[in-house]
């Protein structure tokens, strides 16, 4: 098989849904445009609605028109898409799908390679996986079969374990691709390169030189059309259990002995295992939660969470969380990793700030309390890149210092575009590279940690709402750092320069 232009049929369960429309169709289109997949592919959309191929193709085209600026050869592209109305609980539908796939495999010469992409209600993940195996869809073709699973992977550790057992009864671990789209982001992938390809950082990357690390993923959007899913999930399950802890693992892991999937995973798992488990009465010292009330964003009044949909009127679901993760190992003992994420915040930004320890004595600033520690900022969104804050002499007379910054901005592969996370991850899956997907062990230890927070929170009635839409979260999130002698570095605008 040509590794760069893999052949496969992608079967998307949940093809009429939001994710397919916003992310998957545009990503497949871009893979085609970038020559990463050739003519030997087809996409079969699975959904309950009685759509025709024509309607499905119109939707695919619409999604590309809505999300991308280029739309060349759209018709030729969408002709590779087929719709298959489906009831996931009806075994006959699996059998007919199998015959349909065999037919398409002949037509598109895809070597029998199949990707089953589950992008739908998680309660069906286990039974779909089982039916795919039981009714021959997994094993009847000549090529490979892979199963891509969207989050949420369970609701807590016991349900994730049950789901994993169900899926593992049907598919081998090597065939399972648990997707976390943050792992496909250019600058998240850059964390390892920044750390392991630069002598100057790796020597300082420990508790002797780093005082704390801050990871923020703030969003301006509210729950949009996803109230039903989000209210069950909340910020902790939606963002922290997966994306935020994955970034912690990449920042904290030891250098792998090789850049190979299993070596990298095993280092990440060690970090997740070393996260300090909090006792129930300690959770409040480490984590705070919030829910947005009404506020203003860009001068416009916006609703509070409880006004977003009638079912949310009395909700106690958190739309914000901030916390301190301690990694109890030799390298990180004593260094807090602060994480913070929420909906309806002041700006959309994903940023990592590595704060280095201060010099022992401040010779250059008049005010001994003025702190200008060196910072390494990894900008994941927007303006992908890195910035290093140093102190240099203030120009002119005198010998005062002032913070300066050295910046690198990523210009993408062609000077404009960076491949979308989903584009990269879909391609990785097609070429069988599971490095940027999460192994069960990572999921397991993340849930173990998250459960220890959620179990306590589920017993306590929060005082919500406690932050205004358009702010950076509740004041308790600031207090969390202040009691350790730190503060959040700005992420939505570059105030550090002032
Ligand atoms: C998803 C969450 O996993 O990540 C969403 O379900 C969230 O609620 C999204 O909006 C954020 O991703 P990104 O790439 O926009 O930072």
């Amino acid at each position: 098989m040509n590794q760069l232009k893999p052949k496969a049929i992608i079967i998307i369960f949940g093809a009429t849904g939001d994710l397919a429309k916003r992310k998957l169709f545009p990503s497949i289109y871009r893979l085609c445009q970038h020559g990463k997949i050739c003519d030997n592919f087809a996409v079969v959309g699975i959904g309950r609605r009685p759509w025709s191929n024509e309607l499905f193709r119109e939707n695919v085209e619409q999604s590309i028109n809505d999300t991308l600026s280029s739309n060349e050869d759209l018709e030729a592209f969408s002709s590779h898409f087929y719709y298959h109305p489906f009831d996931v609980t009806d075994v006959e539908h699996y059998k007919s799908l199998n015959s349909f796939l065999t037919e398409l495999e002949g037509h598109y010469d895809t070597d029998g390679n199949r990707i089953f992409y589950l992008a739908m209600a998680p309660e069906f993940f286990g039974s779909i996986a089982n039916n795919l195996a039981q009714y021959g869809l997994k094993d009847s073709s000549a090529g490979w079969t892979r199963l891509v699973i969207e989050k949420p992977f369970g609701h807590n550790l016991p349900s994730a374990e049950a789901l994993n057992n169900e899926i593992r009864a049907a598919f081998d671990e090597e065939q399972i691709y648990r997707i976390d789209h943050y792992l496909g982001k250019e600058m998240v992938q850059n964390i390892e390169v920044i750390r392991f390809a630069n002598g100057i950082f790796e020597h300082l990357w420990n508790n002797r030189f780093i005082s704390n690390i801050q990871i923020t993923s703030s969003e301006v959007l509210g729950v949009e059309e996803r109230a039903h899913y989000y209210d069950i999930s909340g910020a902790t399950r939606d963002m922290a259990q997966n994306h935020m802890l994955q970034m912690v693992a990449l920042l904290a892991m030891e250098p792998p002995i090789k850049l190979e999937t299993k070596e990298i995973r095993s280092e990440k798992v060690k970090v997740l295992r070393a996260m300090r488990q909090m006792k129930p009465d300690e959770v409040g010292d480490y984590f705070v939660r919030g829910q947005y009330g009404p506020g203003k964003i860009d001068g416009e009044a916006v609703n509070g969470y409880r006004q977003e949909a009638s079912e949310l009127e009395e909700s106690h679901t958190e739309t914000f969380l901030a916390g301190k993760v301690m990694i109890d190992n030799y390298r990180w003992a004593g260094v807090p990793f602060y994480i913070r994420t929420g909906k309806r915040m002041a700006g959309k930004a994903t940023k990592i700030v590595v704060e280095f320890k201060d010099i022992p004595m401040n010779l250059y600033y008049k005010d001994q309390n003025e702190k200008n520690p060196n910072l390494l900022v990894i900008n994941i969104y927007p303006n992908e890149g890195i910035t290093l804050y140093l102190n240099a002499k203030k120009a002119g007379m005198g010998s005062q210092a002032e913070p300066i910054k050295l910046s690198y901005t990523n210009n993408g592969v062609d000077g404009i575009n960076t491949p979308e996370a989903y584009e990269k991850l879909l391609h990785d899956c097609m070429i069988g590279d599971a490095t940027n997907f999460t192994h069960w062990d990572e999921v397991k230890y993340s849930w173990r940690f998250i459960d220890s927070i959620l179990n306590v929170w589920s017993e306590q009635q929060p005082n919500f709402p406690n932050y205004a839409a358009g702010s950076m979260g509740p004041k308790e999130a600031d207090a969390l750092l202040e009691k350790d002698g730190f503060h959040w570095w700005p992420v939505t605008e570059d105030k550090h320069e002032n």
Side-chain angles (χ1 to χ4, degrees), residues 151 181-182 185 219 226 229 238-239 243 343 348:
K151 66 168 231 289
H181 79 280
Y182 267 56
K185 289 183 187 267
E219 295 189 74
R226 299 162 78 215
Y229 152 77
D238 187 49
M239 292 290 291
H243 311 322
K343 299 273 183 205
K348 167 89 179 153

Side-chain angles (χ1 to χ4, degrees), residues 45-144:
I46 303 287
R48 284 183 74 94
R49 300 180 203 182
W51 282 10
S52 61
N53 286 343
E54 287 65 39
L55 182 57
F56 185 45
R57 288 172 189 173
E58 271 170 35
N59 264 269
V60 170
E61 291 177 19
Q62 185 67 46
S63 103
I64 288 146
N65 283 325
D66 289 349
T67 48
L68 302 177
S69 49
S70 123
N71 57 4
E72 282 164 30
D73 305 324
L74 253 191
E75 233 171 273
F77 171 75
S78 70
S79 71
H80 288 248
F81 285 68
Y82 297 82
Y83 188 76
H84 207 77
F86 205 87
D87 174 355
V88 293
T89 58
D90 186 337
V91 299
E92 290 309 318
H93 287 194
Y94 290 87
K95 293 179 189 163
S96 75
L97 176 62
N98 202 14
S99 322
F100 183 55
L101 294 179
T102 311
E103 218 177 281
L104 284 183
E105 272 152 5
H107 186 68
Y108 287 99
D109 184 21
T110 52
D111 293 346
N113 299 329
R114 298 177 177 182
I115 293 181
F116 294 100
Y117 196 122
L118 308 192
M120 57 181 307
E123 55 265 36
F124 296 115
F125 287 173
S127 63
I128 295 174
N130 261 309
N131 288 338
L132 292 175
Q134 198 175 338
Y135 299 104
L137 288 91
K138 178 184 145 233
D139 295 317
S140 62
S141 67
W144 47 253

